[in-house]
């Protein structure tokens, strides 16, 4: 058995040792939560029975389908065309300038989403985008944090950061101008969505925004933005040949599910403790799964009052730095204490989502400490919306049976710690 195989066997053995414990914890937690839900006579908890549902109006979906069918039948649909008035030209210039200023890095993008939600709470997607963007920032800084530098070479960490940054930047570049155009329409007291093609926005979004203007339906619009933005990055990022070679098709990326590195978490307070609601994205490379997980995250955020109010309080109270100390300062520190330890100096420090007695906190830097800003290159042109099949995603959304990620996140950290102690598996 060569050195690589020995290390691989060691890490798998360590992970296998955790599996029975993880299953027991999940089963026990689920049973206890069910008992608490019944005893509380219907009081909503993240894992309670009878999950909430985000209803999608079938009549609205039919109307959207007809409008989209008509759009697709028009030659050059969704492309810029016609002359613009001077005020329209000025408005577009202002939107592009604000897009570029706020799109400088993950911190500025995340803050911009929250500003929109604060001013326009009917735009549910803005809060969802804010929290998902926070997760993107946490994953970016993990690459410079306590564990991943021991598992990935510097060049591969730079590729993974580039992948995450490009996806985060392109979603913002496409979606934020839509939010600004909605705000401009409110100020003008008339819809300005005929300008969306000038901003390179997909043809599917104009009827969605026009319907939202006529009769606000947050669910219809939010699902539309989820579907649109995931399609937007599919060819430009996920299927980009360079990112496929250096990120998506690598062993590290394929092992993310095993090590639970692809968790999306929403911090909120329960009885003085910061809990985590959310989901695990099993396969980032799957467009369908990204959309469905996005929809379920929307349901978790807006169907469970305890989570919604707790996440809102967290978002407005805690400025995003991209350090995981933003939500778990008992476990993470944005400042490293002392010199980074060598591999032979590493020791186990974790018991679930807490530190062993006497153990030092895990290093989780801010984004400003971890990565310099990168210029955002212009996206490739093109509209993904070419057929009506995508409208099948507009269906009722049920909250998942289980969305408490507190223990699962701790288990994922433990697996990562064991992987580091076992050896440089992914280098």
């Amino acid at each position: 058995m060569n050195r690589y195989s020995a290390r691989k066997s060691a890490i798998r053995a360590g992970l296998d040792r955790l599996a029975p414990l993880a299953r027991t914890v999940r089963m026990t937690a689920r049973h206890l939560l069910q008992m608490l839900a019944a005893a509380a006579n219907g009081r909503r908890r993240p894992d309670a029975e009878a999950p909430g549902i985000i209803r999608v109006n079938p009549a609205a979906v039919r109307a959207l389908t007809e409008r989209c069918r008509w759009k697709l039948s028009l030659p050059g649909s969704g492309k810029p065309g016609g002359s613009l008035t001077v005020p329209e030209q000025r408005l577009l210039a202002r939107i592009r300038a604000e897009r570029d200023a706020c799109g400088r890095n993950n911190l500025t993008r995340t803050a911009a989403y929250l500003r929109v939600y604060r001013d326009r709470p009917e735009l549910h997607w803005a809060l969802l985008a804010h929290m998902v963007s926070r997760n993107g920032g946490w994953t970016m800084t993990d690459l410079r944090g306590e564990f991943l530098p021991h598992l990935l070479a510097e060049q591969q960490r730079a590729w993974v950061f580039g992948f995450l940054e490009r996806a985060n930047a392109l979603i913002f570049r496409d979606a934020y101008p839509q939010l600004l155009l909605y705000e401009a329409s409110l100020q003008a007291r008339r819809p300005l969505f005929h300008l969306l093609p000038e901003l390179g926005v997909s043809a599917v979004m104009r009827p969605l925004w026009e319907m939202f203007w006529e009769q606000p339906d947050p669910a219809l619009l939010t699902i539309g933005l989820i579907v649109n933005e995931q399609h937007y990055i599919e060819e430009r990022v996920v299927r980009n040949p360079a990112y496929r070679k250096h990120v998506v098709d690598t062993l590290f990326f394929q092992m993310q599910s095993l090590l639970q590195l692809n968790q999306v978490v929403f911090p909120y307070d329960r009885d003085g403790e910061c809990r985590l609601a959310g989901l695990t994205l099993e396969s980032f490379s799957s467009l369908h799964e990204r959309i469905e997980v996005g929809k379920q995250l929307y349901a978790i955020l807006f169907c469970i009052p305890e989570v919604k109010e707790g996440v809102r309080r967290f978002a407005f109270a805690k400025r995003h730095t991209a350090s995981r100390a933003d939500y778990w300062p008992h476990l993470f520190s944005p400042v490293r204490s002392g010199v980074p330890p060598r591999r032979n100096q590493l020791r186990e420090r974790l018991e679930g989502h807490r530190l062993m007695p006497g153990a030092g906190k895990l290093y989780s830097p801010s984004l400003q400490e971890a990565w310099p800003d990168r210029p955002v290159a212009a996206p490739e042109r093109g509209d993904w919306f070419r057929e009506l099949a995508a409208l099948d995603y507009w269906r009722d959304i049920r909250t998942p049976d289980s969305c408490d990620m507190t223990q699962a996140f701790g288990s994922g950290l433990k697996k990562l710690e064991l992987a580091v102690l076992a050896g440089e598996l992914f280098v």
Side-chain angles (χ1 to χ4, degrees), residues 84-85 87-92 94-95 177-199 201 205-206 209-210 213:
L84 299 174
T85 66
E88 287 174 339
Q89 293 174 10
R90 290 173 178 167
L91 172 61
L92 290 170
R94 179 177 66 79
I95 287 176
Q178 299 179 52
L179 308 181
L180 295 180
L181 193 59
Y182 171 72
E183 291 188 311
S185 297
L186 291 175
Q187 292 169 359
R189 297 184 179 181
R190 62 185 180 90
L192 300 171
F193 306 117
H194 63 284
L195 297 176
L196 286 171
E198 302 293 334
L199 296 165
V201 176
M205 294 309 301
R206 179 174 175 180
W209 280 108
E210 289 174 341
W213 180 267

Side-chain angles (χ1 to χ4, degrees), residues 42-118:
R43 183 183 175 190
R44 191 72 174 121
R45 289 287 189 175
D47 280 14
E49 293 180 352
I53 300 176
I54 289 181
R55 298 289 185 186
V56 177
N57 185 343
V61 177
R62 289 193 295 271
L64 174 62
T65 302
E66 290 308 312
R67 294 193 189 200
C68 288
R69 180 178 288 111
W70 178 73
K71 281 281 183 187
L72 290 175
S73 69
L74 298 176
S77 176
K79 296 181 181 179
S83 59
L84 299 174
T85 66
V86 172
E88 287 174 339
Q89 293 174 10
R90 290 173 178 167
L91 172 61
L92 290 170
R94 179 177 66 79
I95 287 176
R96 292 187 180 105
E98 185 172 346
R99 174 201 68 192
D100 294 343
C102 294
R104 187 164 53 87
N105 58 41
N106 172 264
L107 304 183
T108 57
R109 294 172 209 132
T110 307
Y113 287 139
L114 188 62
R115 195 279 306 164
V116 171
Y117 180 72
R118 180 198 66 204

Side-chain angles (χ1 to χ4, degrees), residues 7 27 29 46 56 88 91-92 110 116 141 155-156 171 197 205 241 252 264 292 299 302 323 337 357 366 379 402:
R7 286 177 172 173
M27 291 174 63
V56 177
E88 287 174 339
L91 172 61
L92 290 170
T110 307
V116 171
T141 59
Q155 185 178 26
Q156 188 164 4
I171 288 174
M205 294 309 301
F252 166 74
V264 182
E292 290 299 334
F302 281 87
S323 168
S337 57
S366 67
S402 176

Side-chain angles (χ1 to χ4, degrees), residues 15-265:
L15 296 176
D16 289 342
R17 290 199 303 271
L18 279 179
L21 175 61
R23 285 194 296 270
T24 302
V25 169
R26 285 196 298 270
M27 291 174 63
T28 303
R30 184 173 302 165
H31 179 64
L32 287 173
L33 285 167
Q34 289 172 349
M35 291 171 60
L36 286 170
N41 192 25
R43 183 183 175 190
R44 191 72 174 121
R45 289 287 189 175
D47 280 14
E49 293 180 352
I53 300 176
I54 289 181
R55 298 289 185 186
V56 177
N57 185 343
V61 177
R62 289 193 295 271
L64 174 62
T65 302
E66 290 308 312
R67 294 193 189 200
C68 288
R69 180 178 288 111
W70 178 73
K71 281 281 183 187
L72 290 175
S73 69
L74 298 176
S77 176
K79 296 181 181 179
S83 59
L84 299 174
T85 66
V86 172
E88 287 174 339
Q89 293 174 10
R90 290 173 178 167
L91 172 61
L92 290 170
R94 179 177 66 79
I95 287 176
R96 292 187 180 105
E98 185 172 346
R99 174 201 68 192
D100 294 343
C102 294
R104 187 164 53 87
N105 58 41
N106 172 264
L107 304 183
T108 57
R109 294 172 209 132
T110 307
Y113 287 139
L114 188 62
R115 195 279 306 164
V116 171
Y117 180 72
R118 180 198 66 204
D119 294 346
R120 307 296 175 191
E122 69 271 23
L123 297 178
H124 291 183
W125 186 85
L127 180 61
L128 176 64
H130 169 78
M131 292 308 302
V132 172
S133 189
R134 277 189 185 251
N135 277 265
W138 294 330
T139 305
M140 291 174 186
T141 59
D142 286 344
L143 294 165
R144 299 282 198 207
E146 189 71 39
F147 294 133
L148 290 185
H150 294 289
L151 297 175
L152 294 176
E154 171 62 26
Q155 185 178 26
Q156 188 164 4
R157 281 183 282 144
W159 269 106
V160 175
F161 170 75
F163 176 84
L164 296 169
E165 164 68 8
R166 184 66 172 163
N168 189 255
L170 288 194
I171 288 174
F172 182 86
R173 185 183 177 91
D174 183 71
Y176 191 61
Q178 299 179 52
L179 308 181
L180 295 180
L181 193 59
Y182 171 72
E183 291 188 311
S185 297
L186 291 175
Q187 292 169 359
R189 297 184 179 181
R190 62 185 180 90
L192 300 171
F193 306 117
H194 63 284
L195 297 176
L196 286 171
E198 302 293 334
L199 296 165
V201 176
S202 172
V204 74
M205 294 309 301
R206 179 174 175 180
L208 277 164
W209 280 108
E210 289 174 341
M211 291 177 65
F212 187 76
W213 180 267
E214 296 161 9
Q215 186 172 349
D217 184 340
L220 197 74
L221 179 63
T222 302
I223 294 173
L225 285 162
I226 292 169
V227 171
N228 181 61
E229 301 316 323
Q230 292 307 318
H231 275 93
Y232 189 78
I233 65 169
E234 177 69 5
E235 294 296 332
R236 294 172 175 85
V237 182
V238 180
R239 295 189 178 276
N240 178 284
Y243 287 129
R244 288 204 70 86
K245 177 182 178 181
H246 295 286
V247 181
V248 178
D249 292 337
T250 62
L251 175 62
F252 166 74
F253 207 80
Q254 300 299 323
M255 292 283 284
Q256 282 193 84
S257 178
L258 178 62
L259 293 174
Q260 293 178 270
L261 297 173
N262 43 1
Q263 297 164 330
V264 182
V265 296

Side-chain angles (χ1 to χ4, degrees), residues 327-377:
Y327 64 90
W328 270 3
H330 71 281
L331 187 60
F332 296 99
S333 171
V335 179
R336 190 191 294 276
S337 57
V339 179
R342 297 178 180 179
R343 178 168 298 281
N344 59 6
Q345 297 174 321
L346 296 173
R347 298 291 183 271
E348 286 192 62
R349 285 188 276 172
L350 294 173
E351 289 181 346
H353 60 284
R354 301 193 182 280
L355 293 167
M356 292 180 176
K361 294 181 180 181
L362 305 179
Y363 178 52
S364 178
S366 67
L367 185 69
Q368 291 177 329
E369 291 293 325
W371 298 100
D373 291 352
R374 288 190 180 187
V376 180

